[in-house]
Amino acid sequence: MKWSYFIVVLAAIAVICWVTYEGGSLIYFLDTASVLLIIVLPLLMLMATYSPAEIVGCFAVAFRKEGTDLDMIAKGIHFFSLLRSYLIVTALFSFMIGFILIMANSVGTDKLSQFGGKIAISVIPIHYALALMLLVTIPFKAGLEKKKIELSRI
């Protein structure tokens, strides 16, 4: 993993924000409950398997040029695969919570006019999870897999 990763991520975030802004407003994509569910829930689940020091180590091993062994790299690959799985499940779980609440609270014709906006909010956790997979889990896992291939050639 190269340190230029951070520049690439900032550029990707800028493109995402620009495209989002062109289509309306960034405020449509901000939802505190979704952020909490997509960040906190997978992190808590990861802590059932990894200690905080191991989590930091999995991120750090991707940037180390020397001093890494195949076991550390395999652990990092497992971590980012597990994080991706938790993000997918949490996104769908969060969407279902929102959808059930919308359906339960949309009884009556006067509330049906707000249905589209509420559905949009319930999809936001999926958007956040996909963004984290695009910007974090896929690049880190790919970087570790590349490092594993390079180390196995030695």
Side-chain angles (χ1 to χ4, degrees):
M1 190 77 140
K2 299 178 182 178
W3 287 99
S4 61
Y5 161 79
F6 294 106
I7 295 168
V8 172
V9 166
L10 289 175
I13 290 172
V15 168
I16 291 167
C17 289
W18 178 73
V19 169
T20 303
Y21 182 73
E22 286 295 311
S25 173
L26 289 175
I27 199 75
Y28 298 150
F29 292 86
L30 301 177
D31 182 54
T32 308
S34 296
V35 170
L36 288 174
L37 281 169
I38 294 300
I39 300 292
V40 174
L41 194 55
L43 187 60
L44 289 173
M45 296 307 298
L46 283 168
M47 291 177 120
T49 308
Y50 290 92
S51 70
E54 288 176 313
I55 292 172
V56 171
C58 288
F59 280 94
V61 74
F63 289 102
R64 281 195 209 125
K65 293 188 187 261
E66 296 176 8
T68 57
D69 60 11
L70 287 175
D71 289 338
M72 291 171 60
I73 293 170
K75 189 178 199 178
I77 291 169
H78 177 262
F79 171 81
F80 288 107
S81 296
L82 189 60
L83 177 56
R84 184 193 67 223
S85 297
Y86 282 139
L87 286 170
I88 292 168
V89 172
T90 303
L92 294 174
F93 182 72
S94 302
F95 170 76
M96 291 307 297
I97 289 172
F99 189 73
I100 290 168
L101 289 172
I102 290 166
M103 297 307 285
N105 292 316
S106 292
V107 178
T109 56
D110 58 328
K111 293 186 179 182
L112 287 178
S113 63
Q114 302 170 355
F115 193 73
K118 290 180 179 181
I119 286 291
I121 291 171
S122 72
V123 175
I124 289 175
I126 296 171
H127 172 78
Y128 288 164
L130 290 173
L132 284 172
M133 285 186 278
L134 175 69
L135 300 174
V136 178
T137 63
I138 294 171
F140 274 88
K141 184 179 176 199
L144 289 169
E145 287 173 340
K146 180 181 175 196
K147 190 176 285 203
K148 180 180 176 183
I149 292 167
E150 291 168 352
L151 276 177
S152 64
R153 288 183 189 160
I154 296 175

